[in-house]
């Protein structure tokens, strides 16, 4: 479904990703784990078109994506839940959900159809329904994370990218968020996850990549990586 | 007067929300809009309504080009770069207006021939009533556009975060160009309305500072009504100070009030407080 083939990505003169390759197959949950500054978020930003690779290519469903603008990438079926939730603070929950459908609306989708999708999101996240008119800045961290996920789902993605969904959440909420990710995947959305909570991420994933200094250093089935001595030592607390 | 200040401030507020910078050239765009109005009505002798529509449409295109040429090259820089670029562009536009239309002020005929309307003991200037009506219609249109349309939603989203908007697939650069078009259309309405009150000269550009005062008093932010109220307050302060104290320092009183206001309530009457939770 998604193939990243040998990309280099740089911020100005500082190269962050070095010949990075990975792939995601349909209906999988794939995790990228790595320490701070390893290049996890940069990889997702490159997929979303926010950063353009200087070498290599990114294909999605057989179509080259690496030089396209973000709106075309969203239109092709990729959506992202950014690191730190990044909801629109002054928008209500409902308005935030509408922004997730901007690209669909620009391509002619009727508002009534988007509102049906928002109703489905309210079924998946009942707390958001209760907070329908509430400004996003006033929500708790967990509610903001649910809103950020729901906002991305309103774009009806085939591939959902999640950047550190557990960041800053209480352990009980982390489990809830990962259960939701599993449900979304069961409903047919492929997931590419970037996470520092390696234990939880590997527990919920089919496959995983370990990234260090912008390079993939280990890859394999998530179960295998959970029992790998190297991964255990570096990312699973021994 | 207050309505005109409010319209100029509203345009500045829209740009501030989208770019984080002040469009110092807003006054120059008011001037250009007024001259464009003069061209369609005085030189081309078009009737008022088609002339107004053509003027606003042409100036919206000018605004979009202004955004492309002046804002886009500095969009990743600190907002002061845009302010400086706009300052330079404003001076250029004002000087060019003087070269193209000449230094002699244009007298714009009143839009309504009948000069006043009487309601009992009250007498109203028809020109002022027209300005007030236009302002109400414009505020209603802007409110509906920002709050009830898809493009308005995208404009407000870009105002909150360009980065996240881009990740959501919102075409940020296009939306900012539309915002410049809308803001310039507002400047044009202000310029055309100001035409019959002041003479049309390049010095109309000084109205930018009054629009700025309106936006500061009303509060920069995502409100529409605040800037309009700010405009009326700025206008009332000027008129009262000129009447009761001295008309020679009319502008000075306005700015003295602005400084006082900044000391007491720097975020304006309806501006958002800094330090939100998210």
């Amino acid at each position: 479904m998604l193939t990243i083939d040998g990309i280099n990505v740089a911020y100005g003169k500082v190269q962050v990703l070095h010949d990075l390759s990975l792939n995601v197959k349909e209906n999988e949950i794939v995790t990228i784990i790595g320490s701070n500054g390893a290049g996890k978020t940069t990889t997702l930003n490159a997929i979303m078109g926010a950063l353009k690779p200087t070498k290599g290519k990114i294909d999605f469903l057989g179509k080259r994506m690496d030089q396209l603008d973000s709106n075309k990438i969203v239109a092709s079926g990729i959506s992202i839940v950014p690191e730190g939730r990044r909801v629109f603070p002054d928008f209500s929950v409902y308005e935030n959900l509408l922004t997730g459908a901007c690209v669909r609306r620009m391509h002619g989708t009727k508002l009534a159809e988007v509102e049906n999708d928002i109703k489905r999101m309210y079924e998946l996240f009942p707390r958001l329904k209760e907070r329908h008119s509430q400004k996003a800045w006033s929500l708790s961290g967990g509610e903001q994370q649910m809103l950020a996920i729901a906002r991305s789902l309103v774009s009806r993605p085939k591939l959902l990218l999640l950047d550190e969904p557990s960041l800053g959440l209480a352990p009980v909420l982390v489990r809830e968020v990962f259960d939701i990710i599993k449900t979304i995947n069961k409903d047919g959305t492929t997931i590419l996850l970037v996470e520092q909570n390696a234990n939880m991420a590997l527990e919920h994933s089919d496959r995983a990549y370990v990234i260090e200094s912008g390079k993939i250093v280990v890859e394999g089935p998530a179960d295998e990586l959970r029992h790998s001595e190297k991964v255990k030592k570096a990312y699973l607390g021994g | 007067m207050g309505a005109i200040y409010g319209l100029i401030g509203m345009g500045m507020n829209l740009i501030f929300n989208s770019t984080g910078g002040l469009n110092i050239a807003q006054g120059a765009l008011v001037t250009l809009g007024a001259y464009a109005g003069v061209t369609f009505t005085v030189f081309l002798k078009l009737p008022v309504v088609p002339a107004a529509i053509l003027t606003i449409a042409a100036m919206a295109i000018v605004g979009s080009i202004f955004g492309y040429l002046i804002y886009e090259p500095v969009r990743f820089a600190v907002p002061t770069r845009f302010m400086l670029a706009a300052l330079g562009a404003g001076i250029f536009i004002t000087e060019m207006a003087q070269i193209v239309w000449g230094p002699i002020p244009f007298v714009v005929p009143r839009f309504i021939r009948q000069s006043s309307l009487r309601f009992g003991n009250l007498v109203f200037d028809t020109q002022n009533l027209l300005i007030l009506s236009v302002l109400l219609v414009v505020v209603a249109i802007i409110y509906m556009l920002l709050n009830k349309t898809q493009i308005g939603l995208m404009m407000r989203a870009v105002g909150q975060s360009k980065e996240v908007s881009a990740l959501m697939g919102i075409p940020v650069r296009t939306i900012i160009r539309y915002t410049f078009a809308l803001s310039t259309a507002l400047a044009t309405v202000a310029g055309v309305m100001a035409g019959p009150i002041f003479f049309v000269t390049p010095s109309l550009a000084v109205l930018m500072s009054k629009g700025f005062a309106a936006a500061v008093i009303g509060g920069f932010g995502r409100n529409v009504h605040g800037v309009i109220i700010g405009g009326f307050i700025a206008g009332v302060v000027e008129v009262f100070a000129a009447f009761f104290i001295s008309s020679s320092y009319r502008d000075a009183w306005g700015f003295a009030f602005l400084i006082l206001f900044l000391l007491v309530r720097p975020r304006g009457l309806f501006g958002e407080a800094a330090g939100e939770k998210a």
Side-chain angles (χ1 to χ4, degrees):
Chain A
M1 184 180 221
L2 176 80
T3 308
I4 300 180
D5 186 10
I7 57 166
N8 286 356
V9 175
Y11 289 100
K13 286 180 181 164
V14 182
Q15 192 171 330
V16 180
L17 300 185
H18 304 266
D19 201 25
L20 183 136
S21 299
L22 62 80
N23 67 78
V24 181
K25 297 185 189 84
E26 212 162 329
N27 286 328
E28 274 190 319
I29 299 183
V30 174
T31 294
I32 304 173
I33 55 174
S35 53
N36 257 340
K40 304 186 298 293
T41 297
T42 304
T43 305
L44 297 193
N45 282 339
I47 297 169
M48 287 310 298
L51 295 165
K52 307 288 181 209
T54 52
K55 179 188 151 279
K57 59 178 187 151
I58 301 173
D59 288 339
F60 178 64
L61 296 172
K63 200 175 153 198
R64 192 154 175 182
M65 312 295 286
D66 48 85
Q67 298 303 322
L68 296 182
D69 287 337
S70 298
N71 57 327
K72 294 207 172 80
I73 292 169
V74 174
S76 73
I78 305 180
S79 185
I80 187 168
V81 179
E83 185 181 353
R85 280 87 75 176
R86 307 295 301 274
V87 291
F88 293 105
D90 290 335
F91 278 173
S92 67
V93 165
Y94 173 71
E95 285 174 318
N96 263 286
L97 293 174
L98 282 180
T99 59
C102 278
V103 171
R104 286 175 61 203
R105 295 275 285 134
M106 283 189 288
H107 286 84
T109 304
K110 295 267 185 289
L111 180 62
E113 199 179 320
V114 172
E115 286 191 322
N116 272 338
D117 289 340
I118 291 177
K119 268 184 206 156
R120 282 198 307 110
M121 289 305 121
Y122 286 159
E123 283 162 20
L124 190 60
F125 305 99
R127 254 181 291 172
L128 295 183
K129 189 180 181 183
E130 290 164 23
R131 310 234 182 306
H132 172 86
S133 311
Q134 205 169 314
K135 297 274 188 201
W137 64 262
S138 68
L139 303 180
S140 70
E143 288 166 345
Q144 285 188 7
Q145 187 60 272
M146 286 169 195
L147 177 56
I149 294 172
R151 179 181 63 181
S152 291
L153 289 176
V154 174
S155 74
R156 288 197 185 171
K158 298 180 183 91
L159 171 65
L160 180 65
L161 315 180
L162 290 121
D163 195 351
E164 308 271 11
S166 74
L167 194 73
L169 297 183
V172 62
L173 285 173
V174 172
R175 185 151 289 282
E176 195 178 334
V177 166
F178 273 94
D179 287 345
I180 288 165
I181 291 170
K182 205 82 193 174
T183 307
I184 294 165
N185 179 246
K186 273 188 188 146
D187 289 346
T189 307
T190 308
I191 308 274
L192 176 60
L193 185 65
V194 151
E195 189 52 68
Q196 279 198 54
N197 187 341
N199 227 337
M200 186 66 82
L202 291 175
E203 193 187 317
H204 286 81
S205 302
D206 300 305
R207 289 190 303 118
Y209 292 86
V210 177
I211 185 170
E212 275 177 19
S213 305
K215 290 177 191 156
I216 300 292
V217 290
V218 181
E219 62 176 284
D223 263 350
E224 221 170 82
L225 262 60
R226 279 175 76 194
H227 298 105
S228 143
E229 284 307 316
K230 190 182 172 191
V231 174
K232 266 193 205 170
K233 212 170 185 180
Y235 302 103
L236 303 176
Chain B
M1 293 305 304
I4 290 169
Y5 297 167
L7 280 172
I8 299 167
M10 224 157 88
M12 294 181 81
N13 194 26
L14 282 174
I15 296 296
F16 180 78
N17 278 337
S18 291
T19 67
L22 272 180
N23 184 9
I24 304 286
Q26 193 76 356
L29 293 170
V30 170
T31 308
L32 196 60
Y35 274 119
V38 164
T39 304
F40 284 116
T41 50
V42 178
F43 291 122
L44 300 177
K45 302 198 186 313
L46 291 179
V48 171
V49 174
I53 292 169
L54 277 174
T55 305
I56 291 167
M59 285 302 295
I61 294 168
V62 168
S64 177
I65 295 167
F66 177 91
Y68 180 72
L69 293 178
I70 309 301
Y71 171 69
E72 287 217 2
V74 294
R75 69 185 190 277
F76 295 121
V78 288
T80 40
R81 286 272 180 90
F82 165 57
M83 287 167 64
L84 288 173
L87 178 68
I91 294 168
F92 176 79
I93 290 169
T94 315
E95 294 303 316
M96 283 305 288
Q98 182 133 326
I99 291 169
V100 173
W101 284 280
I104 300 164
F106 282 97
V107 181
V108 178
R110 294 172 64 90
F111 295 123
I112 302 171
R113 288 214 184 104
Q114 188 186 347
S115 64
S116 62
L117 273 179
R118 180 179 285 276
F119 296 99
N121 290 330
L122 298 172
V123 180
F124 293 95
D125 185 318
T126 50
Q127 185 69 26
N128 290 342
L129 285 178
L130 178 71
I131 291 174
L132 211 57
S133 314
V134 168
L135 175 79
L136 289 175
V137 170
V138 168
V139 169
I141 290 171
I142 296 292
Y143 179 83
M144 296 296 283
L145 180 86
L146 290 178
N147 293 290
K148 305 286 177 197
T149 67
Q150 183 62 27
I151 194 154
L153 181 81
M154 292 194 281
M155 279 179 176
R156 289 186 295 137
V158 169
Q160 290 183 61
S161 171
K162 289 196 267 294
E163 192 193 341
V164 180
S165 298
L167 288 175
M168 293 298 109
I170 295 172
V172 173
R173 289 167 68 185
T174 307
I175 293 298
I176 290 181
R177 241 176 277 161
Y178 286 161
T179 309
F180 271 100
L182 180 62
S183 161
T184 307
L186 288 174
T188 304
V189 174
V192 169
M193 289 291 134
I197 302 174
F198 309 98
F199 296 119
V200 175
T201 74
S203 65
L204 269 183
V206 299
L207 286 176
M208 188 284 293
S209 55
K210 308 296 177 68
F212 175 68
V216 169
I217 294 168
F220 276 102
R222 280 162 281 280
N223 66 82
V224 174
H225 58 284
V227 183
I228 298 299
I229 293 170
F232 278 109
I233 293 173
V236 165
V237 167
E238 258 186 40
V239 170
F240 270 72
F243 186 78
F244 289 108
I245 307 171
S246 161
S247 61
S248 313
Y249 297 101
R250 181 187 172 121
D251 289 347
W253 293 120
F255 287 115
F257 177 77
L258 179 64
I259 292 166
L260 256 177
F261 196 90
L262 277 170
L263 289 172
V264 178
R265 197 174 165 87
R267 69 183 166 99
L269 290 174
F270 302 94
E272 286 98 5
E276 289 156 332
K277 191 177 172 184

